[in-house]
Amino acid sequence: MTLLIEQLINGLQLGTMLFLMASGLTLIFGVMGLINLAHGSFYMVGAYATALVSATTGSFLVGLAAGIAVAAAVGALVELIVIRRLYHRPHLDQVLATFALILIFSEGTRWLFGSSPLWLNPPAALSGSVTLPGGLRYPIYRLVIIAVGIAVAVGMYLLISRTRLGMRIRAGESDREMIGALGVNIARLYTLVFAMGAALAGLAGAMVGALQSVQVGMGEPVLILAFVVIVIGGIGSIKGALYGAILVGVVDTLGRIFLPAFFRHFMSPSEAAGVGSAIAAMLIYVLMAVILAFKPKGLFAAHD
C-alpha cells in the first residue's frame, strides 16, 4: 500500500509537469491552429537558462525566474521571425518548419554548451523529505512541483475565464476574423499567446531539470507525452490538458512499476522485466486509443 501511494504521488507529479507542457501546447493550437513541434525546445531552453543562471548567482529562484523569462523571450522571437509566416500555411508546412526549429535549437545548444549534461540542484530548503500521513517519506521538491502545477492550473483558469486577455483568447479560438474586425491586434495577441506557451514549457523544463540532467534533446520525449495528453484531453481545452496530464502521468508511472512485478508471477524475472517494460511503454497509447474510440474529440473537446 505504501508503494502504491508513493507511485500515485509520483504519477501526480509527472502529470502536473506534463500539464505545464501540454497547457501551452494546446493553448497555441487552440488560438492559432498551429502544430508546434518545437515546443519541447522551449522546455530545454528554460532548463539550460535556469542551470546557467543558478550556477552563476547561486540562487535557484533567480535561475527559475530567468529560465521562464528566457523561454518566453525566445518564444516571442521565434513567433515573430518564423511562426508568423506559417499561420495560413498547411499543417504539413507547419510540421516541417517547426521540426527544423528542433534541429536548429538542438545543434545550436550543443555548439554553445557542448554535449555534456549540466546539473541543477534544487534549493537547500527543498532538498529534504517530509513524512506524509501513513508514515511515507516523500521528497519536498516533488511536492513543490505538484503545488506549482496546481497553482498554474488555477492561474490559467482565472486568466482564461476572468480577464480581458482571457476573453480575447477565447474569442480568438472561436472567431479570429471577428475579433480582428473589432479592433483587436491579432498579431500582438498571437505573439503573447505563443510567449505564454513557451514560458510554461520553460517553467516545466526548469523544475524538472533539478530532478534530471539538463541536456540537449531533453524536450523531445516530453513533447511526445504532451501531444498524447492534449489528444486525450481534447485539443484546445485547458481543462482537458489538466485531466489528460494527470491520467497519463498516473497510468504511465503505475504501469512501469507494477506491470513487471505482475509478469513475474508467470515468467522469469528477466523476461518479466522486458515484457512488463515493453507493455508499460505502450500503455498510454492504448489508453489514448480506447478514449478516442468512445470520445473522438477527447475528454473535453474545446468546442463541444
Side-chain angles (χ1 to χ4, degrees):
M1 182 58 68
T2 301
L3 177 62
L4 175 61
I5 294 173
E6 181 180 12
Q7 297 310 315
L8 283 173
I9 300 175
N10 284 340
L12 181 60
Q13 180 255 303
L14 174 60
T16 53
M17 185 274 295
L18 288 175
F19 169 72
L20 294 177
M21 279 286 289
S23 58
L25 193 62
T26 197
L27 188 65
I28 290 170
F29 185 86
V31 174
M32 305 176 182
L34 177 79
I35 299 177
N36 179 26
L37 295 187
H39 200 67
S41 298
F42 304 129
Y43 176 93
M44 179 182 68
V45 166
Y48 266 91
T50 301
L52 291 169
V53 175
S54 295
T56 302
T57 63
S59 171
F60 177 81
L61 292 179
V62 173
L64 179 63
I68 297 171
V70 170
V74 171
L77 191 63
V78 167
E79 196 276 338
L80 289 170
I81 296 174
V82 179
I83 302 299
R84 184 164 291 186
R85 293 161 174 76
L86 299 175
Y87 293 134
H88 301 293
R89 303 291 291 273
H91 284 320
L92 179 59
D93 291 354
Q94 297 173 359
V95 168
L96 292 174
T98 54
F99 181 73
L101 287 174
I102 294 177
L103 302 179
I104 292 170
F105 274 106
S106 295
E107 295 308 313
T109 304
R110 183 177 286 111
W111 178 69
L112 287 172
F113 305 110
S115 299
S116 299
L118 302 180
W119 301 100
L120 176 62
N121 295 319
L126 303 179
S127 59
S129 58
V130 294
T131 302
L132 300 179
L136 173 65
R137 300 284 296 177
Y138 197 80
I140 297 174
Y141 186 72
R142 290 182 178 268
L143 292 176
V144 169
I145 292 178
I146 295 173
V148 169
I150 294 172
V152 169
V154 173
M156 290 284 288
Y157 168 76
L158 294 176
L159 174 69
I160 298 297
S161 62
R162 304 291 177 86
T163 67
R164 182 177 296 273
L165 174 60
M167 179 180 66
R168 292 179 177 180
I169 290 173
R170 296 197 311 272
E173 289 180 322
S174 303
D175 195 334
R176 303 182 188 100
E177 290 76 14
M178 180 58 72
I179 64 169
L182 292 174
V184 175
N185 189 324
I186 297 294
R188 185 181 302 169
L189 177 65
Y190 280 9
T191 301
L192 181 59
V193 168
F194 199 87
M196 286 173 51
L200 290 171
L203 172 60
M207 298 294 291
V208 174
L211 298 177
Q212 306 169 353
S213 61
V214 177
Q215 57 187 336
V216 176
M218 62 183 293
E220 277 66 64
V222 182
L223 177 68
I224 295 172
L225 292 177
F227 272 114
V228 173
V229 165
I230 65 173
V231 170
I232 288 176
I235 296 175
S237 170
I238 299 297
K239 179 181 178 181
L242 177 61
Y243 281 82
I246 293 174
L247 190 59
V248 168
V250 170
V251 169
D252 184 68
T253 301
L254 294 183
R256 292 181 187 278
I257 295 298
F258 290 109
L259 279 179
F262 171 75
F263 283 107
R264 288 194 194 102
H265 294 289
F266 315 103
M267 305 174 180
S268 66
S270 60
E271 291 177 335
V275 173
S277 298
I279 295 177
M282 297 185 296
L283 203 56
I284 59 171
Y285 304 103
V286 174
L287 172 68
M288 179 175 67
V290 171
I291 289 176
L292 292 181
F294 294 95
K295 300 276 290 185
K297 294 184 178 180
L299 295 174
F300 300 96
H303 303 296
D304 275 357

